[in-house]
């Protein structure tokens, strides 16, 4: 049987489509690739996003920017000196994009302007840190992406 050019093009299209479909099915069935949303309440968090934007802007207006430093003991969050540490409350959230089981939150309790996050809680890799804190009636937010 002789194959003309029209049949060759159709066979090439069928081969290409089969090749693509094989990889789509293979990747969607692979257990190593987790396609779930990383946070369970993603849509609920999206609704309060404007409050986060306002908290970041108020931190910029009041010069309440934080500094996050890496040390041998872990991560050090340095709060501004102009605020009384007794009136600072809030939470620190560390979010690991690759594994939600490594995420953790803890409350801010300060005796000086430094807060230490111990090294034993942090695994090497990328982390997103969110520091949500209040000073008197003002709410502030500091977001940073870092590689530990």
């Amino acid at each position: 049987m002789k194959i003309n050019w029209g049949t060759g093009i159709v066979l090439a299209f069928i081969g290409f489509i089969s090749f693509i479909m094989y990889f789509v099915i293979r990747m969607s069935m692979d257990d190593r690739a987790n396609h779930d949303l990383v946070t369970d309440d993603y849509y609920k968090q999206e609704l309060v996003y404007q409050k986060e934007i306002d908290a970041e802007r108020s931190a910029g207006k009041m010069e309440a920017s934080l500094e996050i430093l890496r040390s041998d003991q872990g991560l050090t969050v340095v709060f501004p000196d102009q605020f009384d540490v007794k009136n600072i409350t809030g939470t620190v959230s560390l979010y690991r994009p690759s594994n939600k089981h490594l995420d953790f939150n803890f409350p801010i309790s300060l005796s000086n302007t430094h807060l230490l996050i111990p090294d034993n809680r942090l695994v090497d890799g990328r982390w997103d840190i969110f520091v949500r804190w209040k000073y008197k009636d003002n709410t502030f937010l500091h977001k940073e992406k870092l590689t530990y």
Side-chain angles (χ1 to χ4, degrees):
M1 174 177 190
K2 199 173 191 182
I3 297 177
N4 61 15
W5 64 272
T7 307
I9 290 175
V10 170
L11 290 176
F13 277 134
I14 290 172
F16 179 73
I17 292 170
S18 300
F19 174 75
I20 297 297
M21 289 304 295
Y22 166 74
F23 280 108
V24 167
I25 292 170
R26 183 172 174 208
M27 289 296 121
S28 65
M29 300 296 237
D30 193 1
D31 290 334
R32 292 177 295 165
N34 186 4
H35 302 295
D36 296 333
L37 294 175
V38 179
T39 58
D40 293 331
D41 57 349
Y42 174 80
Y43 296 108
K44 183 179 176 183
Q45 288 181 359
E46 196 64 33
L47 294 174
V48 295
Y49 190 62
Q50 185 61 44
K51 291 180 183 177
E52 290 183 5
I53 292 171
D54 295 339
E56 284 183 291
R57 284 185 184 158
S58 66
K61 287 179 187 174
M62 294 190 64
E63 297 179 6
S65 60
L66 303 180
E67 190 176 358
I68 298 176
L69 306 169
R70 184 175 178 180
S71 64
D72 292 337
Q73 293 86 17
L75 289 176
T76 305
V77 180
V78 181
F79 287 86
D81 293 330
Q82 72 259 26
F83 296 112
D84 183 18
V85 295
K86 295 174 187 137
N87 295 327
I88 295 176
T89 59
T91 60
V92 176
S93 302
L94 275 97
Y95 167 75
R96 182 67 184 243
S98 62
N99 187 350
K100 69 179 178 182
H101 299 293
L102 295 175
D103 298 351
F104 60 95
N105 303 320
F106 57 92
I108 296 173
S109 65
L110 298 172
S111 58
N112 58 16
T113 59
H114 297 74
L115 175 70
L116 179 67
I117 302 167
D119 187 44
N120 61 355
R121 304 257 342 239
L122 300 170
V123 179
D124 290 344
R126 180 167 172 249
W127 289 91
D128 293 345
I129 184 168
F130 301 97
V131 183
R132 292 174 183 85
W133 58 290
K134 289 181 85 168
Y135 181 74
K136 296 184 179 176
D137 291 333
N138 298 320
T139 303
F140 304 108
L141 174 67
H142 178 84
K143 292 183 188 179
E144 192 170 327
K145 296 176 185 335
L146 53 98
T147 304
Y148 191 75

